């Protein structure tokens, strides 16, 4: 009985700690103070989608000299944003996200934003 209680405590302590990580307002990654993680993640998600659309509109005839660099930056962005995209998709479809996916999404949000900004800079080059 004692072992069961200790095991239960060891399992739930990290979960309780993750509740603070996932919820509430505060500084979310590179977001603004007072911005919730949901708002920050939505902004990053929208930036990623907008940039993906811009890349889709490019063609070889646009005179974009750095098209290979843009494609590579887009691939890196999609890799960095994978957990955030999975989280958004599952939430939108009403499916459960489990325990780990929200944590992975939160951890990847800053890397996703940075990769998106790298792609944005590549798109801005002549």
């Amino acid at each position: 009985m004692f072992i069961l209680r200790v095991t239960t405590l060891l399992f739930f302590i990290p979960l309780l700690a993750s509740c603070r990580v996932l919820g509430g307002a505060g500084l979310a990654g590179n977001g603004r103070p007072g911005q919730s993680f949901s708002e920050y993640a939505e902004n990053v998600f929208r930036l990623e989608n907008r940039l993906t659309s811009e890349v889709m509109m490019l063609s070889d005839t646009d005179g974009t000299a750095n098209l290979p660099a843009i494609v590579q930056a887009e691939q890196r962005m999609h890799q960095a944003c994978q957990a955030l995209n999975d989280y958004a998709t599952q939430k939108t479809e009403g499916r459960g996200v489990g325990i780990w996916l929200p944590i992975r999404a939160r951890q990847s949000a800053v890397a996703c934003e940075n990769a998106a900004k790298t792609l944005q800079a590549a798109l801005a080059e002549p």
Side-chain angles (χ1 to χ4, degrees):
M1 187 65 149
F2 176 75
I3 293 175
L4 179 62
R5 286 183 185 188
V6 170
T7 304
T8 303
L9 278 175
L10 291 175
F11 178 75
F12 282 106
I13 288 173
L15 288 178
L16 291 174
S18 71
C19 289
R20 174 63 189 121
V21 170
L22 293 174
L27 187 62
N30 288 345
R32 291 181 219 113
Q35 183 182 39
S36 72
F37 172 70
S38 295
E39 292 169 327
Y40 173 68
E42 183 177 343
N43 290 337
V44 172
F45 187 73
R46 287 176 190 242
L47 174 62
E48 178 201 4
N49 286 331
R50 183 175 56 79
L51 294 172
T52 298
S53 295
E54 286 183 33
V55 171
M56 288 172 50
M57 298 299 219
L58 292 177
S59 70
D60 292 331
T61 60
D62 287 340
T64 306
N66 64 336
L67 191 59
I70 290 171
V71 170
Q72 187 177 21
E74 182 192 25
Q75 290 171 347
R76 286 186 183 139
M77 180 185 70
H78 287 302
Q79 289 171 349
C81 298
Q82 185 63 48
L84 190 60
N85 289 332
D86 291 345
Y87 178 77
T89 300
Q90 289 189 20
K91 288 288 276 188
T92 301
E93 293 175 355
R95 294 188 284 156
V97 294
I99 295 170
W100 303 115
L101 184 56
I103 293 170
R104 284 188 12 246
R106 184 173 189 89
Q107 291 171 341
S108 71
V110 173
C112 177
E113 180 183 30
N114 291 338
K117 287 181 177 180
T118 300
L119 174 57
Q120 191 173 34
L123 285 166
E125 289 180 15

